[in-house]
Amino acid sequence: MNAQAEVVIASRPSPQVGLVEINRPEARNAINLEVREKLAAAVAGFSEEPEIRAIVLSGRGSNFAAGADVKAFEKLGAADMLAQQAHRYWEVIARCPKPVIAAVEGYALGGGCELAMHADIIVAATTAKFGQPEVKLGLMPGAGGTQRLLRAIGKYKTLMLLLTGDLFPAEEAERAGLVSVLAPEGEALAQALQMAEKIAQLAPLAVAQIKEAVLNGEDAPLETALRLERKAFQLLFDTADKREGISAFLEKRKPSFTGR
Ligand code: CO8
């Protein structure tokens, strides 16, 4: 099949890194139902492959994603939206146990910004623009925007962005805590892949436990979250990778982790 016809392209830039790219550049990578289904399938596929240790999400062309497909919204009513149960596709990405890095160039708007916020790390070009402009369409964010943005940048910036629909330039987003790191224009993907490669060399069980402790602890009471962290920390003491990591440090050599 012609790869260019695929709305989502999954590839392996290296044996341990999976890359998932939206491929509708002519529609600014707008996310229709087919894109949502295929994004979920690609992330689920990489989640289940033992060799894959980190996943990068990106958009082909010069944009990450301009949001939900507004053209597809035109004829949809509430019953259609209820029947779609689209949240199940997003949940697959939210529950991915492996590190997910978003590489953002150009626009990450509406559902595109929400997709980036499903990642654990956001690498954005200095010229990228985030935003939740749904209010301008008589709508509101529907894939986690009200909650994930709130947790990332706090109430006052979130409500300003959501209520005005204004764009949020990457440099401001980085200062506010939405963007992990800025890259020169055109280099977000290369930097994200480099970071994924670095994480892929680390101990997979430790990486997974760190992600779980941070994400599950975020909304738990502090005592519960600290207990969760402590248990995960203690659990790692029985892994072969902990023995390898400590031995390699003591022997002044590079560790070789196996994921056991
Ligand atoms: N949906 C469908 N088509 C789009 C979208 C979109 N979101 N964005 C751009 N396109 C299409 C345009 O219609 C145009 O198509 P055509 O060539 O057939 O006219 C083509 O892409 C190029 O667009 P522009 O000419 O507008 O390109 P510019 O580079 O001048 O502008 C922008 C790019 C700024 C991104 C502009 O296109 C824009 O503002 N797009 C709409 C952004 C928006 O409102 N996004 C929010 C959508 S609502 C939403 O995301 C709700 C989320 C709910 C959760 C579930 C989500 C999956």
Side-chain angles (χ1 to χ4, degrees):
M1 190 179 291
N2 175 11
Q4 293 313 310
E6 295 289 339
V7 295
V8 170
I9 298 174
S11 62
R12 280 179 179 223
S14 79
Q16 296 182 317
V17 173
L19 172 62
V20 179
E21 295 170 286
I22 304 178
N23 184 35
R24 298 186 72 207
E26 71 292 347
R28 305 294 183 265
N29 289 329
I31 303 170
N32 59 17
L33 199 56
E34 187 187 359
V35 170
R36 266 175 272 182
E37 283 170 9
K38 292 191 169 162
L39 277 175
V43 171
F46 284 141
S47 297
E48 281 163 23
E49 276 190 54
E51 318 86 76
I52 293 291
R53 294 188 180 177
I55 299 167
V56 174
L57 291 180
S58 191
R60 286 263 169 119
S62 46
N63 294 287
F64 185 72
D69 192 316
V70 179
K71 291 175 185 167
F73 272 6
E74 197 188 355
K75 294 195 172 62
L76 296 176
D80 302 308
M81 295 305 281
L82 278 168
Q84 242 176 40
Q85 295 286 299
H87 64 276
R88 64 202 147 115
Y89 301 121
W90 294 100
E91 279 170 8
V92 171
I93 305 172
R95 292 207 190 115
C96 174
K98 298 179 182 177
V100 177
I101 304 176
V104 179
E105 296 278 348
Y107 292 107
L109 303 182
C113 184
E114 291 169 309
L115 176 63
M117 290 191 290
H118 276 67
D120 305 309
I121 295 171
I122 300 179
V123 179
T126 47
T127 46
K129 290 183 175 61
F130 295 80
Q132 298 285 166
E134 291 89 341
V135 69
K136 293 182 177 171
L137 302 170
L139 284 169
M140 63 177 284
T146 62
Q147 301 311 307
R148 289 200 175 89
L149 197 58
L150 175 67
R151 283 158 177 74
I153 65 173
K155 170 183 166 185
Y156 297 101
K157 280 197 185 292
T158 295
L159 279 169
M160 178 182 74
L161 291 169
L162 263 47
L163 294 176
T164 61
D166 282 350
L167 294 178
F168 199 30
E171 289 180 342
E172 273 180 54
E174 192 268 338
R175 284 195 293 275
L178 175 62
V179 167
S180 313
V181 65
L182 292 166
E185 185 176 359
E187 289 181 28
L189 179 58
Q191 275 204 21
L193 288 171
Q194 226 172 48
M195 198 182 289
E197 205 57 62
K198 184 192 273 188
I199 295 170
Q201 302 312 312
L202 300 171
L205 290 173
V207 165
Q209 290 298 314
I210 290 168
K211 174 165 174 169
E212 195 174 315
V214 172
L215 296 190
N216 290 334
E218 191 177 20
D219 294 320
L222 181 62
E223 262 312 305
T224 309
L226 290 174
R227 196 167 301 131
L228 184 72
E229 178 197 85
R230 200 156 58 237
K231 294 293 173 204
F233 172 71
Q234 291 161 350
L235 200 58
L236 290 172
F237 274 71
D238 243 2
T239 62
D241 280 347
K242 170 260 175 186
R243 289 190 287 279
E244 168 64 6
I246 303 287
S247 302
F249 175 79
L250 295 175
E251 293 160 16
K252 299 187 190 301
R253 61 176 172 80
K254 199 170 170 289
S256 171
F257 295 117
T258 58
R260 304 308 297 256

